[in-house]
Amino acid sequence: MTRVWKWNRPVTVREVLEDLQRERSIAYTTVMTVLDNLHQKGWVRREAEGRAYRYEAVSTRAAYAAALMNDAWSQSDNPAAALVAFFGMMSEEQRQALRDAMRIAQGPEAAESHETFARATEKQAENRDENPDEKADGKAGRNPDEKADENQGRNPEGIVAENPASAEGDPGR
């Protein structure tokens, strides 16, 4: 699929073969079989051109990635916790890309409220940095063990987070 997405146009088995052969030795029949399998699975459509076919992706790579994320998220027994864990794995650049995507998806009115929220969140983070004795919950001077017991497995919004190491399912997804 990577090769089909790369060209963003209908491709022949020969074109994919020649591209792959720049990196490694591979047989024409192998490429033909893979493209036929992708067609049978509905990932590509094909159109006859003489005695050969031209193959074209049914969806974009971005749409495929989105479908994978949606599938993984919908299989969670605690979708909010899955999102919290996912956000925790993101780099700052990825979080910024997510904020940008949310602005696009929700339109200009939502962008204004997101900016207000982002400024408030940044201000809270600055305040915590300036006052290290002040904890995220805003309560200073309590026994740290009490807070750990009280908040175990929860983020500041109170969403129970699962231990990713103990999650069931296919880790290779």
Side-chain angles (χ1 to χ4, degrees):
M1 281 307 300
T2 300
R3 304 300 167 142
V4 176
W5 282 322
K6 179 176 127 179
W7 284 301
N8 197 29
R9 65 170 174 78
V11 296
T12 64
V13 172
R14 177 74 51 204
E15 290 173 315
V16 175
L17 173 72
E18 289 172 0
D19 190 41
L20 287 169
Q21 285 181 332
R22 292 181 194 150
E23 298 171 16
R24 62 188 168 123
S25 178
I26 189 167
Y28 180 93
T29 53
T30 301
V31 177
M32 184 175 63
T33 299
V34 169
L35 284 169
D36 185 58
N37 288 342
L38 290 170
H39 176 257
Q40 289 178 22
K41 291 179 179 186
W43 289 42
V44 296
R45 62 179 144 264
R46 67 183 181 193
E47 189 173 315
E49 185 177 280
R51 292 179 28 194
Y53 288 108
R54 283 208 172 265
Y55 295 87
E56 182 177 22
V58 170
S59 69
T60 65
R61 186 176 214 151
Y64 172 70
L68 282 177
M69 289 187 287
N70 186 56
D71 183 49
W73 185 45
S74 66
Q75 290 182 28
S76 173
D77 61 345
N78 189 339
L83 281 175
V84 169
F86 180 64
F87 295 154
M89 293 181 225
M90 296 173 92
S91 68
E92 182 53 39
E93 292 80 22
Q94 290 169 322
R95 285 190 293 275
Q96 185 57 50
L98 176 62
R99 286 189 285 272
D100 294 343
M102 290 295 293
R103 280 187 209 98
I104 292 167
Q106 295 178 338
E109 293 170 6
E112 200 172 297
S113 65
H114 284 292
E115 288 300 322
T116 302
F117 177 76
R119 283 192 298 272
T121 304
E122 288 171 11
K123 186 66 176 168
Q124 287 175 346
E126 288 172 12
N127 289 341
R128 279 194 300 271
D129 291 341
E130 292 171 7
N131 303 314
D133 291 338
E134 194 72 18
K135 302 299 179 202
D137 61 3
K139 299 173 186 168
R142 289 184 54 195
N143 181 342
D145 293 333
E146 289 176 353
K147 278 185 257 183
D149 291 340
E150 173 185 303
N151 294 322
Q152 186 172 4
R154 296 183 181 271
N155 65 7
E157 289 77 31
I159 299 170
V160 176
E162 296 173 359
N163 179 354
S166 67
E168 294 180 23
D170 181 7
R173 283 191 139 243

